[in-house]
């Protein structure tokens, strides 16, 4: 004959020992209380300690994330004036950390331009974006063409991520009135030609970085003159404000610049704020992807 009371209290004790927060059958005898209550007290103390440690860990992670966010913001300038170019940019992450990155560098009589977008969000994407900054600064000192720089970056990221992450990037070089560039799967930049007041896109493209180790990028070039403007952006700018709406396109961006030529030649910072707002990215609560957009004005300059 099985003693049902003993069997039942054994089930309760076992359940509590396995981590159940509560388990009662009524009524409880004094004998049952003597078994159940000590285990319940022990579980309650254990749960309290685990919660306390979890709160501490969350606080530490939040502080580290805030610090990492502050560091990442240092990587990206909102404005920069170089001998050959004036640049204004807007960078709006959809989360604390972003994989978008842009940069302008002057090396001798060369002006280098880069915009890149790492797939995904968070710590890994932000770390890759930080690597892009360091690599870009080093590679433009080693190579003379955008294709060489982009190919070196592609090999590095392919060997690092093996396709787990990919990067779109547009890289350009301005030298002696010629704009040389190559595109690794990135949205098409727009140029406003100051001579005929005409806007056009640089529609040449190539493979995204990080998916094929030995891909060879093709270089394109065209004349660029003082007073011309170059606009570059990441695809987060094209994301619709409301889910279910169609994405904007590169042609939509081209049309917007074409319709706001007067603003282009006035206040570039105001224009970028207008672009961000009109494309539905006025607040980070609306973002579904990171956004970066930059405007650059070519200046008259010759190396000494």
């Amino acid at each position: 004959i099985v003693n049902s009371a003993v069997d039942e209290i054994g089930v309760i004790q076992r359940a509590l020992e396995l981590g159940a927060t509560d388990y009662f059958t009524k009524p409880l005898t004094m004998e049952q209380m003597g078994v159940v209550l000590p285990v319940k007290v022990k579980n309650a103390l254990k749960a309290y300690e685990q919660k306390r440690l979890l709160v501490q860990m969350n606080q530490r992670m939040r502080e580290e994330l805030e610090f990492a966010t502050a560091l990442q913001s240092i990587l990206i300038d909102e404005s920069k004036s170089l001998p050959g170019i004036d640049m204004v940019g807007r960078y709006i992450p959809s989360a604390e950390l972003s994989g978008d990155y842009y940069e302008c560098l002057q090396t001798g009589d060369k002006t280098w331009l880069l915009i890149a977008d790492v797939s995904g969000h968070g710590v890994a994407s932000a770390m890759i974006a930080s690597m892009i900054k360091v690599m870009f600064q080093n590679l433009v000192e080693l190579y003379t063409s955008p294709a060489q720089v982009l190919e070196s970056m592609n090999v590095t990221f392919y060997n690092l991520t093996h396709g787990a992450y990919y990067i779109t990037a547009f890289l350009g070089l301005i030298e002696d009135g010629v704009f040389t560039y190559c595109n690794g799967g990135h949205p098409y930049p727009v140029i406003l030609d100051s001579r005929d007041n005409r806007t056009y896109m640089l529609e040449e493209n190539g493979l995204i970085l990080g998916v094929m180790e030995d891909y060879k990028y093709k270089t394109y070039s065209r004349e660029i003159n003082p007073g011309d403007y170059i606009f570059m952006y990441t695809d987060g700018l094209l994301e619709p404000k409301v889910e279910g709406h169609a994405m904007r396109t590169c042609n939509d961006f081209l049309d917007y610049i074409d319709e706001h030529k007067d603003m282009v030649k006035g206040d570039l910072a105001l224009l970028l704020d207008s672009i961000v707002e009109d494309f539905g990215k006025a607040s980070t609560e609306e973002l579904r992807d990171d956004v970066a957009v930059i405007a650059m004005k070519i200046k008259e300059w010759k190396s000494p």
Side-chain angles (χ1 to χ4, degrees):
I1 299 175
V2 178
N3 186 326
S4 60
V6 173
D7 184 61
E8 187 174 3
I9 192 62
V11 170
I12 296 174
Q13 182 178 3
R14 181 59 178 157
L16 292 170
E17 289 172 347
L18 290 173
T21 57
D22 210 347
Y23 191 124
F24 275 109
T25 58
K26 299 180 179 179
L28 288 178
T29 66
M30 291 301 296
E31 179 183 0
Q32 291 172 329
M33 291 286 284
V35 174
V36 171
L37 287 181
V39 180
K40 284 180 64 64
V41 170
K42 180 181 178 181
N43 283 356
L45 291 173
K46 183 186 297 183
Y48 171 79
E49 180 63 17
Q50 290 174 343
K51 183 178 181 180
R52 186 183 67 82
L53 292 174
L54 186 60
V55 169
Q56 288 181 347
M57 290 177 60
N58 285 339
Q59 178 63 27
R60 185 164 61 250
M61 290 175 62
R62 190 178 301 111
E63 291 172 354
E64 291 176 353
L65 188 59
E66 290 174 354
F67 183 64
T69 303
L71 285 178
Q72 188 179 38
S73 66
I74 298 173
L75 298 180
I76 300 180
D77 297 307
E78 281 204 345
S79 63
K80 180 181 282 190
S81 182
L82 299 174
I85 201 167
D86 284 330
M87 182 274 291
V88 179
R90 290 293 180 267
Y91 158 73
I92 310 172
S94 61
E96 286 86 351
L97 296 174
S98 162
D100 284 8
Y101 177 71
Y102 61 79
E103 180 64 285
C104 300
L105 292 176
Q106 193 89 31
T107 59
D109 57 355
K110 300 179 176 68
T111 303
W112 293 87
L113 317 174
L114 172 69
I115 188 165
D117 183 358
V118 183
S119 62
H121 310 281
V123 175
S125 296
M127 288 181 65
I128 295 174
S130 300
M131 290 178 59
I132 291 174
K133 176 182 177 69
V134 175
M135 290 184 63
F136 180 56
Q137 291 175 336
N138 291 331
L139 291 175
V140 296
E141 298 288 348
L142 296 176
Y143 297 115
T144 59
S145 79
Q148 291 173 311
V149 175
L150 212 59
E151 286 166 8
S152 180
M153 293 173 67
N154 176 60
V155 170
T156 297
F157 290 121
Y158 177 83
N159 291 325
L160 179 66
T161 67
H162 298 287
Y165 288 84
Y166 63 85
I167 302 155
T168 68
F170 178 91
L171 198 153
L173 167 63
I174 299 173
E175 183 180 16
D176 295 329
V178 177
F179 185 30
T180 306
Y181 59 91
C182 54
N183 194 334
H186 201 78
Y188 301 138
V190 168
I191 290 183
L192 172 57
D193 192 319
S194 61
R195 294 169 301 175
D196 57 11
N197 203 34
R198 182 177 64 90
T199 56
Y200 58 91
M201 287 191 301
L202 304 179
E203 299 185 54
E204 298 83 2
N205 214 333
L207 188 68
I208 57 178
L209 284 69
V211 297
M212 182 184 297
E213 183 178 14
D214 57 353
Y215 185 81
K216 298 299 181 184
Y217 289 91
K218 187 173 180 180
T219 299
Y220 304 88
S221 62
R222 63 183 60 233
E223 185 180 354
I224 196 88
N225 295 286
D228 289 354
Y229 293 84
I230 304 173
F231 297 88
M232 306 194 302
Y233 54 96
T234 57
D235 63 1
L237 185 71
L238 306 178
E239 288 279 355
K241 178 177 179 180
V242 179
E243 189 171 357
H245 286 217
M247 282 189 65
R248 300 291 188 102
T249 67
C250 296
N251 282 312
D252 291 325
F253 184 79
L254 173 68
D255 291 341
Y256 189 91
I257 298 300
D258 191 58
E259 293 166 4
H260 293 79
K261 291 175 182 175
D262 292 340
M263 192 178 294
V264 171
K265 298 173 183 178
D267 189 333
L268 278 179
L270 183 62
L271 171 66
L272 291 192
D273 290 338
S274 176
I275 290 173
V276 169
E277 183 175 354
D278 286 354
F279 276 76
K281 301 297 184 293
S283 99
T284 54
E285 294 180 359
E286 299 169 349
L287 289 175
R288 297 192 301 172
D289 195 5
D290 309 316
V291 171
V293 56
I294 54 176
M296 293 154 287
K297 180 180 180 181
I298 311 303
K299 297 193 295 187
E300 182 76 55
W301 176 73
K302 292 184 181 296
S303 59

